[in-house]
Amino acid sequence: MLRPVSSLGLALLLGAPAHAQDAVAKVDTLFSWVTPGMPGCAVAVAQNGEVLVNRAYGLANLETGAPIGPRTVFDIGSVQKQFSAAAALLLVEEGRLSLSADIREYLPELPDNGHRVTLDHLMTHTSGVRDWLALMNFNSGDEDALTLILRQHGLNFAPGERWAYSNSNFELVKEIVARVSGMSFSEFARTRLFEPLGMENAMYAADITAAEHGARAYEREGDVWQPAMLLGVERGGGAVLSTVSDLLLWNEALTSGRLGAFVTGRLQEPARLNNGRDLTYARGLFAEDTPFGRAVWHTGSARAFGALLSRLPDHGLSIAMLCNAGDAVDRNMEGRRIADLFLPEGVVREVEAAESPAAARAVAVDLTGKAGLFFSERDGEPLRLIVQNGRLRVAGGPVLVTVAEDRFRNPSGRLSFMSEDEFELHFLSPDELVLTSMEGEKARYRRARPYAPGAAELQEFAGRYESDDLGAVFETSPGDNAVVIRLNGAQTIPFAPVDPDTFQRGPLTVRFLRDDTGQVTALDFSTPVLRNVRFARPDSE
């Protein structure tokens, strides 16, 4: 169990770094940006089982003037995913759930999409299930998240083939836990997780307004702070609300194994793709090797609420930060700065030196003709290459290292881009390249073909297209060398032609489909988080 200590006793802590005695004052300095009358943050730090810092800055409620205090609870956003995963793993350990079973055994109303999605796929974000927050952006109704998720017939990718963060995964996990346990997720979390661990202020609720000591969250608009929270159907199935003290208790439970070896181990076990690649995501948690040693962490956002919960087990360090001030705070940066205060000075110096190497000598090659838009011949996925500061890079992705005049390598994998693949691009010609994954799998890409449809061809695309999955309607009409799409009778967006029958607007792609006679019958709509959502013409069915 965590043991609180006074700041006076910090220097006497066994094993604490010598510079820890003024850590509280330094944490105060880090949060000096919180001025009177504004929202702020609660911060708590423990090391080797001792609570070293438990501080609050700013107001929990601007309307009442209530300050953030020890019992103030915040919406912890996606930090809740580890609690959902732990709840499911408790049932797996008891033999009431299976990690490898098709989730349609527990959710029979889920449409058969031709793939076997398992509980483990959900908990590791390798399911391909579409993100409900992205779906809500196009949905015309006020449906709750679960209803929308359970209506989806398609996946973004085959289960286990990729990693892609999707909030839908854990909405389904919570629903499965509730159905199998025979109690609401709120009750399950209270009786099986929060109460046994002494998390007296933690709860699972529909929204933050249900909590007696709940903070309100705000975003700055000009000089005015405006309320900004997820409420009602915006919040999905609900939220874990917690204090920083209770989050430290949770971290300590994972450190000491109070949830048992099976649950604790599986929570922090790296996910693995079908090709054998181990990822830095586990089950509801990131778990990765860093310059500071092993790090187990997750952030969370819910409009203007922001959360960070992290552990550095090699240093016995645990940090919890909960804020209600929107973009006024960079959680990852503040978390790093807080960690620096409690790490041995030698470790910090080594990391700083490693992160500031002398500039690598780049191989000078002519990049003329390398940039442009390419499409995968396998699944039509776009890949846009750009030249920036004399370097070739993937738009929205990594800067590439030049290997040779026609070869470029991704030097380090990033989880949010191609599932941490350290791939290599090989130009076979200016218009064709091969992407070779770190496992050796090859995928051919071709350059987008010039396409300038005339007025008559643009008219072929005009009409009404409906998606049952999204509950949305696209109405298309010809524009000035573009297809203009009106979403649900409201927002109008022009899409420029980039390839035959294919149009783009920024990261959004629309590809029109034709039948055997050449008639346009449907379109596939894709974004970085939604792949090939089918919209059909009612008169073509």
Side-chain angles (χ1 to χ4, degrees), residues 449-458 461 481-482 496-503:
R449 295 185 286 266
Y451 180 51
E457 187 172 0
L458 288 173
F461 305 123
N481 192 33
V498 294
D499 201 55
D501 292 346
T502 304
F503 298 76

Side-chain angles (χ1 to χ4, degrees), residues 205-539:
D207 60 59
I208 192 71
T209 60
E212 180 182 357
H213 301 285
R216 302 297 185 263
Y218 305 87
E219 290 177 337
R220 191 193 294 274
E221 297 182 7
D223 295 330
V224 180
W225 289 97
Q226 298 288 355
M229 294 170 284
L230 296 180
L231 305 173
V233 294
E234 293 180 319
R235 193 60 197 83
V240 170
L241 313 177
S242 182
T243 62
V244 289
S245 296
D246 280 350
L247 291 182
L248 286 188
L249 287 173
W250 173 258
N251 264 359
E252 179 66 15
L254 294 186
T255 298
S256 61
R258 288 191 63 194
L259 295 172
F262 176 81
V263 175
T264 304
R266 288 302 180 96
L267 269 178
Q268 300 171 90
E269 180 182 58
R272 177 172 292 177
L273 297 181
N274 294 342
N275 61 13
R277 185 188 309 160
D278 286 334
L279 304 177
T280 56
Y281 199 85
R283 295 179 175 89
L285 281 168
F286 292 90
E288 57 184 322
D289 293 322
T290 74
F292 297 103
R294 192 71 171 163
V296 182
W297 62 278
H298 212 290
T299 56
S301 297
R303 286 290 298 275
F305 282 111
L308 168 70
L309 182 61
S310 64
R311 288 188 302 125
L312 294 173
D314 295 344
H315 302 281
L317 190 63
S318 178
I319 300 170
M321 179 169 58
L322 298 173
C323 302
N324 65 337
D327 293 334
V329 57
D330 183 329
R331 291 157 296 162
N332 289 318
M333 180 60 71
E334 293 292 356
R336 163 68 181 269
R337 289 169 176 166
I338 293 169
D340 284 351
L341 298 178
F342 297 92
L343 291 170
E345 292 181 357
V347 171
V348 176
R349 285 197 297 269
E350 288 176 8
V351 171
E352 290 174 345
E355 292 180 347
S356 302
R361 190 176 302 171
V363 179
V365 299
D366 183 6
L367 298 178
T368 303
K370 296 292 192 298
L373 177 64
F374 296 79
F375 288 100
S376 167
E377 293 183 351
R378 179 175 57 190
D379 56 16
E381 187 167 1
L383 175 72
R384 185 177 291 276
L385 300 177
I386 61 175
V387 175
Q388 188 177 69
N389 299 324
R391 301 283 296 276
L392 191 67
R393 74 172 299 161
V394 178
V399 176
L400 303 177
V401 171
T402 303
V403 177
E405 188 171 356
D406 59 352
R407 293 179 183 270
F408 302 84
R409 181 173 55 83
N410 178 22
S412 61
R414 196 171 79 192
L415 190 58
S416 59
F417 186 81
M418 291 191 178
S419 311
E420 296 185 312
D421 191 1
E422 297 177 10
F423 58 86
E424 182 173 288
L425 299 182
H426 178 203
F427 281 84
L428 304 180
S429 72
D431 297 327
E432 189 176 18
L433 61 84
V434 173
L435 185 153
T436 304
S437 74
M438 58 195 294
E439 291 81 25
E441 183 181 359
K442 297 182 182 298
R444 297 177 77 93
Y445 284 74
R446 63 162 180 83
R447 187 180 293 275
R449 295 185 286 266
Y451 180 51
E457 187 172 0
L458 288 173
Q459 187 62 45
E460 294 180 34
F461 305 123
R464 178 184 175 91
Y465 299 80
E466 299 177 356
S467 168
D468 292 335
D469 283 9
L470 264 62
V473 174
F474 281 177
E475 295 173 278
T476 67
S477 59
D480 185 11
N481 192 33
V483 166
V484 177
I485 295 181
R486 182 182 298 274
L487 171 62
N488 294 328
Q491 186 179 10
T492 299
I493 305 174
F495 283 70
V498 294
D499 201 55
D501 292 346
T502 304
F503 298 76
Q504 282 190 339
R505 172 66 180 267
L508 311 180
T509 302
V510 168
R511 180 176 286 109
F512 289 92
L513 307 177
R514 300 176 184 267
D515 62 16
D516 293 339
T517 68
Q519 296 295 309
V520 176
T521 59
L523 66 82
D524 280 346
F525 175 69
S526 296
T527 78
V529 293
L530 294 177
R531 296 290 302 154
N532 296 327
V533 180
R534 182 65 50 89
F535 284 73
R537 270 181 164 169
D539 55 4

Side-chain angles (χ1 to χ4, degrees), residues 64-129:
T64 66
I68 297 172
R71 299 188 65 190
T72 302
V73 299
F74 297 74
D75 184 333
I76 69 173
S78 288
V79 173
Q80 72 166 294
K81 288 179 169 60
Q82 58 199 285
F83 294 95
S84 304
L89 288 170
L90 285 172
L91 295 176
V92 171
E93 185 176 30
E94 295 168 0
R96 301 166 70 184
L97 280 178
S98 169
L99 286 173
S100 59
D102 191 321
I103 60 172
R104 295 182 71 243
E105 292 184 18
Y106 313 114
L107 305 167
E109 69 271 44
L110 191 67
D112 185 356
N113 52 46
H115 294 279
R116 186 168 174 271
V117 178
T118 68
L119 180 63
D120 207 34
H121 287 138
L122 296 180
M123 289 196 288
T124 56
H125 288 304
T126 59
S127 68
V129 173

Side-chain angles (χ1 to χ4, degrees), residues 18-69:
H19 58 286
Q21 53 187 317
D22 61 348
V24 172
K26 290 183 177 180
V27 171
D28 287 345
T29 300
L30 289 180
F31 287 87
S32 60
W33 56 266
V34 181
T35 56
M38 70 173 287
C41 299
V43 181
V45 181
Q47 190 163 33
N48 300 323
E50 303 285 358
V51 178
L52 306 183
V53 175
N54 193 338
R55 305 289 279 173
Y57 312 91
L59 299 181
N61 189 316
L62 300 189
E63 288 70 37
T64 66
I68 297 172

